[in-house]
Amino acid sequence: MNVLLMAYGTPYTPEEIEPYYTDIRRGRRPSEELLKELEERYAAIGKSPLNEITLAQAIRLQALLNLEAPAYPKRLLGPFGPRTPQGPARVYVGTKHWHPSIGEAIAAMHEDGVKRAVAIVAAPHYSLRSVAEYKEKVEQALKALPEPMEFLWVESYEAHPGLIAAYARRLEEAIWRLQEPRKAAYVFTAHSIPLSAVERGDPYPRQVERTAELIAKRLALPRFSVAYQSAGRTPEPWLGPDINEHLRALREEGYAEVVVQAVGFPADHLEVYYDLDLEAQATAREVGLRLLRARSLNADLDYIQVLKDLVEEAWLR
């Protein structure tokens, strides 16, 4: 069994920020103003741990897949033999905007003789601006190969019971730190996308809301809401409400405490550390709100178990 685990990627050093940002902008170099802003954000958080977390996810997923080999039903036997893993499971890492890139990962898979693999993104929700773009990267890389390679896709897993349980467990930890839980507001966040994508029928907002609803139901939350963060620096409108505007509205409604959970981001990275821990926290202090953020899933075993379940299910299709 072979797996391509994909994530957004992040620069390792300050010198890599400009080429990284250029890649995000599809080869267009950012203006000095935009570049300086991003450099300042990275400087403010110290360093994004996303690359290290993604590698840890891959190592633990590979270990778990090899530790608990799945049972393959007889119905999968066919004229070419059983559809079972050939040798031990191996997980390759490919990032969307940095190194190792998706193209580099697929080239390595080809060199290793991989013919069939599961492709999964470390993000639960499908979007035209996220998973669809990862698929484009994979298709581009496949065109460069002399031989075909089959990918079995996990496109979304917003309602996976294990994912909901993992998020709920971390949200409950934050709830224990509240002074008056029954009077607090609970906000689930995800990365914003352009409204134009939503108008084209992107399922992303519905999937984010579904995740939020299931977590809230599991914990019997008296109230909850969904907000978005990290909107792009473009003139077009992006999906809202923005988390900072939402926090101000919650204070006007009389709330004194709020728990925020970034359900669109399994791993800690720039958008979690800066947009929530610094920017949103500053907004909360400004308006007189006590803000608590539920910790991320990162490479914890309960999240790796979710990825394992999804990979095995895809492999057996």
Side-chain angles (χ1 to χ4, degrees):
M1 181 187 299
N2 301 287
V3 180
L4 174 59
L5 176 65
M6 292 171 284
Y8 200 80
T10 191
Y12 289 95
T13 66
E15 294 73 25
E16 295 175 341
I17 294 176
E18 182 179 335
Y20 166 75
Y21 203 177
T22 299
D23 189 79
I24 291 175
R25 292 167 55 84
R26 297 179 180 268
R28 293 179 291 108
R29 186 182 180 280
S31 66
E32 291 300 327
E33 181 182 0
L34 288 175
L35 179 59
K36 181 180 179 182
E37 180 184 20
L38 187 59
E39 289 174 339
E40 290 175 347
R41 287 178 175 233
Y42 273 104
I45 68 167
K47 184 181 184 298
S48 169
L50 181 59
N51 291 333
E52 289 80 2
I53 291 172
T54 304
L55 179 59
Q57 290 172 341
I59 292 171
R60 292 179 178 181
L61 175 59
Q62 180 172 294
L64 199 59
L65 287 167
N66 286 309
L67 180 65
E68 302 177 15
Y72 290 85
K74 293 182 179 180
R75 65 179 176 81
L76 291 176
L77 294 174
F80 303 104
R83 292 169 57 187
T84 59
Q86 301 301 311
R90 183 163 182 182
V91 179
Y92 297 78
V93 170
T95 66
K96 186 179 178 185
H97 292 299
W98 204 232
H99 303 288
S101 68
I102 291 171
E104 291 166 342
I106 290 178
M109 296 171 79
H110 176 260
E111 290 179 5
D112 290 344
V114 174
K115 303 296 183 184
R116 185 171 185 261
V118 175
I120 185 169
V121 181
H125 311 102
Y126 179 91
S127 171
L128 298 174
R129 292 297 297 265
S130 62
V131 176
E133 292 185 353
Y134 283 90
K135 296 186 79 169
E136 288 178 11
K137 295 272 189 179
V138 169
E139 292 301 321
Q140 290 172 3
L142 291 177
K143 290 178 181 178
L145 299 182
E147 301 170 349
M149 185 185 301
E150 179 188 8
F151 276 101
L152 310 166
W153 278 87
V154 177
E155 292 193 346
S156 65
Y157 47 99
E158 74 282 356
H160 188 286
L163 179 77
I164 302 305
Y167 274 136
R169 190 173 300 117
R170 287 155 180 77
L171 182 57
E172 192 170 33
E173 291 173 0
I175 291 174
W176 279 106
R177 295 162 54 202
L178 288 168
Q179 295 169 358
E180 295 185 85
R182 294 186 179 278
K183 296 182 180 180
Y186 303 92
V187 182
F188 300 98
T189 70
H191 200 297
S192 181
I193 61 173
L195 278 179
S196 59
V198 180
E199 292 166 354
R200 294 201 306 272
D202 197 316
Y204 180 74
R206 296 192 299 275
Q207 291 189 0
V208 172
E209 290 165 6
R210 179 63 174 154
T211 300
E213 290 168 356
L214 290 172
I215 298 169
K217 181 178 180 180
R218 185 180 182 93
L219 294 179
L221 297 181
R223 68 198 63 81
F224 72 93
S225 55
V226 173
Y228 293 90
Q229 59 175 94
S230 316
R233 301 297 191 271
T234 64
E236 62 181 318
W238 286 62
L239 180 64
D242 172 75
I243 179 61
N244 294 285
E245 296 173 359
H246 193 54
L247 291 174
R248 292 187 175 93
L250 289 173
R251 187 67 184 110
E252 290 178 0
E253 293 174 23
Y255 292 103
E257 294 181 291
V258 58
V259 178
V260 174
Q261 182 165 51
V263 295
F265 305 102
D268 287 326
H269 63 306
L270 180 68
E271 280 78 5
V272 173
Y273 284 170
Y274 187 89
D275 294 355
L276 293 181
D277 290 351
L278 294 180
E279 192 172 61
Q281 190 66 256
T283 298
R285 287 195 299 269
E286 176 190 329
V287 300
L289 268 175
R290 180 171 180 250
L291 186 153
L292 303 175
R293 177 177 68 83
R295 64 186 179 90
S296 302
L297 303 178
N298 291 324
D300 291 356
L301 183 59
D302 52 0
Y303 179 51
I304 303 305
Q305 182 66 53
V306 171
L307 296 179
K308 172 182 176 289
D309 292 346
L310 294 163
V311 165
E312 290 180 346
E313 180 182 352
W315 185 265
L316 291 173
R317 288 178 192 155

